[in-house]
Amino acid sequence: MRKNIVAGNWKMNNDLSESKKLVKGIKKAIKKKELKNTRVIVSPTYVSLSAVVKKAKKSAIEVAAQNMHQADNGAYTGEISADMLKSVGVKIVILGHSERREYFGETDALLAEKVDQALKNKLEIIFCFGEVLEDRKNDNHFKVVESQIKNALFHLDAKAWKNIVLAYEPVWAIGTGETASPEQAQEMHAFIRNLVANKYDAKVADNVSILYGGSVKPANAKEIFSKQDVDGGLIGGAALKTEDFVALIDAI
């Protein structure tokens, strides 16, 4: 059975002190909550990963990295390997975020390599994809999403999908204050689940968590999260304040 997930992507925000303070606040706030079928994930910058992992111990908080290189090791200045992430206790990695695609030129082919590397190292993946505003206006959003998923993930066998979480990002709704309507989110999430079912089977599709990642806030979270195929959110700005992030957890 798939789980609900509230994952906070802190992006290039919070220094070490701020990161420890934020995870401490979240830990305290959720300590007495009955999370039931809900996972709580935070994703700090590389420099804070180790400290946040330590702070999150003895709590329900899991820690993810924001990216990872596709090679085992080597002359890749500034990059981080799967083995390095594992060495500090990280078991989850975000791959394919729209900002990595847009600003750093990450392609579907490169992401397929990263996916394989993460799975080889037994890391769970939060795999991101989504269309830009032009695609949506031209009614190409389904084609774009289908292509991104197929190119990076459909070479995997069915067993690998137990380590995959999908995160749909309508790029036009990230950091803009715009949000896809709950109906638009559900429409795309249902399309994605059906895509996976057609490639594999209904069991694989029913078990994969599909997150929505487009300007989710406490004010709109409950309505979005209530949709049948929306299993939580990959949260940006609202993950940077304890009270907002906890409100999103409560909304699930």
Side-chain angles (χ1 to χ4, degrees):
M1 181 179 177
R2 67 182 185 262
K3 291 197 172 187
N4 296 317
I5 300 171
V6 180
N9 177 15
W10 298 354
K11 305 187 180 184
M12 198 175 72
N13 295 293
N14 296 337
D15 61 19
L16 181 58
S17 175
E18 291 165 335
S19 296
K20 290 194 289 187
K21 182 179 179 181
L22 180 53
V23 74
K24 182 180 178 181
I26 297 168
K27 182 177 179 178
K28 181 179 179 181
I30 68 171
K31 187 175 182 179
K32 296 182 180 180
K33 290 184 183 294
E34 289 187 25
L35 295 174
K36 298 178 183 177
N37 196 46
T38 301
R39 297 172 64 189
V40 176
I41 300 172
V42 298
S43 187
T45 62
Y46 285 136
V47 297
S48 299
L49 277 173
S50 181
V52 170
V53 167
K54 290 175 182 175
K55 281 285 183 184
K57 281 186 176 178
K58 296 182 180 179
S59 79
I61 301 170
E62 301 173 70
V63 182
Q66 295 178 18
N67 185 36
M68 180 204 79
H69 196 271
Q70 67 272 22
D72 289 333
N73 51 58
Y76 303 105
T77 300
E79 293 293 331
I80 304 293
S81 71
D83 200 47
M84 292 172 185
L85 296 179
K86 288 162 58 181
S87 74
V88 296
V90 171
K91 299 176 182 177
I92 310 166
V93 62
I94 299 171
L95 296 177
H97 193 281
S98 59
E99 290 156 3
R100 296 296 311 176
R101 294 174 187 263
E102 180 180 0
Y103 304 139
F104 302 96
E106 294 196 355
T107 63
D108 292 343
L110 173 64
L111 291 169
E113 290 184 50
K114 291 192 175 192
V115 165
D116 289 345
Q117 180 72 349
L119 293 175
K120 184 180 82 171
N121 283 277
K122 296 180 172 54
L123 291 174
E124 184 178 9
I125 299 164
I126 299 175
F127 185 79
C128 305
F129 51 87
E131 81 280 4
V132 297
L133 184 59
E134 186 178 359
D135 295 324
R136 172 65 68 161
K137 285 184 173 179
N138 292 333
D139 207 28
N140 287 328
H141 45 297
F142 291 119
K143 288 182 180 178
V144 169
V145 165
E146 180 174 358
S147 176
Q148 290 174 337
I149 293 173
K150 282 185 172 181
N151 291 342
L153 299 176
F154 275 12
H155 64 287
L156 302 173
D157 61 34
K159 291 180 181 178
W161 279 78
K162 68 179 183 296
N163 293 311
I164 303 288
V165 171
L166 300 178
Y168 166 59
E169 301 181 287
V171 181
W172 47 273
I174 299 175
T176 63
E178 296 291 332
T179 310
S181 70
E183 291 72 27
Q184 286 174 316
Q186 168 58 23
E187 180 185 40
M188 181 59 83
H189 281 232
F191 171 79
I192 294 161
R193 203 175 300 283
N194 189 58
L195 195 67
V196 176
N198 287 338
K199 168 64 177 178
Y200 298 95
D201 57 39
K203 183 178 180 182
V204 172
D206 288 343
N207 284 333
V208 66
S209 296
I210 308 176
L211 312 184
Y212 173 77
S215 296
V216 181
K217 305 176 183 70
N220 62 24
K222 199 166 190 66
E223 192 175 6
I224 294 172
F225 293 167
S226 69
K227 295 301 179 182
Q228 181 178 348
D229 289 294
V230 179
D231 304 310
L234 179 60
I235 314 300
L240 299 176
K241 292 183 179 179
T242 300
E243 58 271 26
D244 287 348
F245 191 61
V246 172
L248 296 178
I249 297 169
D250 290 340
I252 205 91

